[in-house]
Amino acid sequence: MSRKGSYGRKENDLGALIDRLVVMAEELSPEQRSQQEPEEMDEFTRLKKLAARQVSEIRKMIGERDDLLEASGGSGGRQAVVLSSKIRELLRNVHETHKAMQNELSAEERQMAKEESLRAKGKASLLSRDDLDAHVQLVELTGKHIAECEALEKKRYQTPGGGGRSA
């Protein structure tokens, strides 16, 4: 009898643990986090986060492709071709995001120039000079990350036995 009761208790404990895990998974899921992001996020911040996710995905896919090529002795087959195609597509997408970041930065710079007269009158602006300088640095850094990803993509073609295509 005591044995049956202990199983019931363990099942209840297990059920409670599963319920806790489900709640934690819901709270930590990317979809939930994106819904919790503030609505007042400006366009530049949205683009910056998008570019960061894209660069991260590119790096991950390049690593997967390189591991696949290494494991297969350099050929990789169809899977490597598909991954390379997806990597090139993601590189095009991140270039578009970077261009949008540059356009947003240009708009912010024009807005800052217009607001110079407002600041002279004592009215506050939405974006400080420090914020604008940080945005300039972020655009430059994003460009460097993209260039590094492109170099990693091309590296496999420049290494001996790395795919058969020459640079």
Side-chain angles (χ1 to χ4, degrees), residues 69-127:
L69 290 172
E70 187 177 313
S72 67
S75 68
R78 183 177 185 279
Q79 290 175 332
V81 171
V82 169
L83 278 173
S84 292
S85 175
K86 286 180 182 178
I87 290 167
R88 287 189 299 274
E89 181 182 343
L90 285 172
L91 281 168
R92 285 189 295 273
N93 292 342
V94 77
H95 273 292
E96 291 171 6
T97 303
H98 185 247
K99 183 68 173 166
M101 286 176 72
Q102 290 172 326
N103 292 340
E104 185 66 26
L105 178 63
S106 296
E108 288 175 352
E109 288 173 337
R110 286 191 301 274
Q111 184 68 26
M112 180 67 75
K114 287 179 184 178
E115 290 177 355
E116 289 293 330
S117 63
L118 291 176
R119 269 191 239 124
K121 296 177 185 177
K123 295 183 180 180
S125 69
L126 297 173
L127 193 65

Side-chain angles (χ1 to χ4, degrees), residues 59-82:
R59 289 178 188 275
K60 185 179 105 184
M61 290 180 79
I62 288 173
E64 289 173 5
R65 190 218 35 220
D66 289 348
D67 290 345
L68 180 66
L69 290 172
E70 187 177 313
S72 67
S75 68
R78 183 177 185 279
Q79 290 175 332
V81 171
V82 169

Side-chain angles (χ1 to χ4, degrees), residues 26-81:
E26 288 173 358
E27 289 176 357
L28 298 175
S29 70
E31 297 85 21
Q32 185 71 15
R33 277 187 277 152
S34 66
Q35 291 172 357
Q36 292 175 351
E37 289 177 357
E39 292 295 324
E40 63 267 1
M41 184 187 313
D42 67 336
E43 181 67 10
F44 187 86
T45 303
R46 187 189 68 76
L47 290 169
K48 176 185 76 166
K49 289 182 179 209
L50 175 62
R53 283 191 303 266
Q54 289 171 329
V55 167
S56 175
E57 182 68 19
I58 290 168
R59 289 178 188 275
K60 185 179 105 184
M61 290 180 79
I62 288 173
E64 289 173 5
R65 190 218 35 220
D66 289 348
D67 290 345
L68 180 66
L69 290 172
E70 187 177 313
S72 67
S75 68
R78 183 177 185 279
Q79 290 175 332
V81 171

